[in-house]
Amino acid sequence: MSTTRILILGTLLDGPRNGYQVRRHLETWGADSWASVKFGSIYHGLGKMADEGLLEVVESGKGGATVYAMTDDGRFEFHRLLLTVWHELMPIVDPFQVALTFMNHLDKETLMSALRSRSELLELTIAGAERSYGTKQSFGAPRHIDETLRLNTAVLRAQLDWCRQALAKVENDELP
């Protein structure tokens, strides 16, 4: 399942766009921070979906200047993918969880330092996300885009809470 594919198709629901316009639209939403979209993959994705018949070229151009519009098959694929994501739980691959698997290979002081450092980073990231609530609308993003920030912030808060609890356990020799 490609979230980039859903995002590209979704940006074309409102009308034809070129690759640069798709990218700018997604940047306005902040998709780079909550969807792991690689902006370079947008141009490849547009061409691939055109080859698959999900998009059609309405104006040829060089590089990111080619304008694409969604076909009926593209609309069907967008809705199929969208509903799949709403109705299925999919694993979230988080490298931090991989690191947790090997916490026992760090000495106590290194592990405590890592947990403190991660906690500070999480606090800064949460504060930044909270400051950005409501700002994306001034750039044309719909109101509900803030919900992606709120969900991301809630996940970060859960990880921050876990880090604080884990730090106490490490200090008390309860972990690892």
Side-chain angles (χ1 to χ4, degrees):
M1 169 73 58
S2 169
T3 55
T4 301
R5 190 174 181 94
I6 296 171
L7 287 165
I8 292 170
L9 290 169
T11 61
L12 294 171
L13 286 171
D14 296 330
R17 296 178 196 265
N18 64 35
Y20 176 76
Q21 292 167 322
V22 169
R23 178 182 175 157
R24 293 294 299 148
H25 200 75
L26 294 175
E27 285 175 334
T28 298
W29 292 355
D32 54 323
S33 66
W34 46 261
S36 298
V37 65
K38 306 289 185 257
F39 290 126
S41 64
I42 291 170
Y43 304 99
H44 172 73
L46 287 165
K48 185 172 181 349
M49 286 188 278
D51 291 345
E52 294 171 4
L54 303 177
L55 305 176
E56 63 182 345
V57 174
V58 294
E59 185 180 323
S60 292
K62 291 187 177 187
T66 301
V67 177
Y68 298 88
M70 194 177 312
T71 64
D72 288 340
D73 286 346
R75 287 184 196 291
F76 178 83
E77 178 68 357
F78 170 77
H79 287 286
R80 185 188 72 76
L81 292 171
L82 184 65
L83 289 174
T84 298
V85 173
W86 273 102
H87 292 281
E88 291 181 9
L89 286 178
M90 296 178 195
I92 298 170
V93 178
D94 183 355
F96 181 61
Q97 289 184 315
V98 174
L100 291 179
T101 304
F102 299 105
M103 71 168 36
N104 61 314
H105 292 280
L106 298 174
D107 63 73
K108 182 176 179 175
E109 291 306 315
T110 302
L111 182 54
M112 287 174 40
S113 175
L115 285 165
R116 285 187 193 105
S117 174
R118 187 158 192 96
S119 294
E120 290 171 9
L121 180 61
L122 287 163
E123 288 168 354
L124 288 171
T125 304
I126 290 166
E130 288 174 341
R131 280 192 303 277
S132 67
Y133 292 165
T135 61
K136 300 205 177 293
Q137 286 78 35
S138 62
F139 297 102
R143 218 176 22 184
H144 66 272
I145 291 301
D146 273 353
E147 294 309 310
T148 60
L149 289 171
R150 286 186 179 90
L151 178 58
N152 190 42
T153 302
V155 170
L156 294 173
R157 280 190 184 288
Q159 193 176 122
L160 177 59
D161 291 344
W162 180 89
C163 283
R164 289 174 175 162
Q165 292 169 18
L167 181 59
K169 288 179 181 179
V170 172
E171 287 172 339
N172 295 328
D173 293 320
E174 298 169 21
L175 270 179

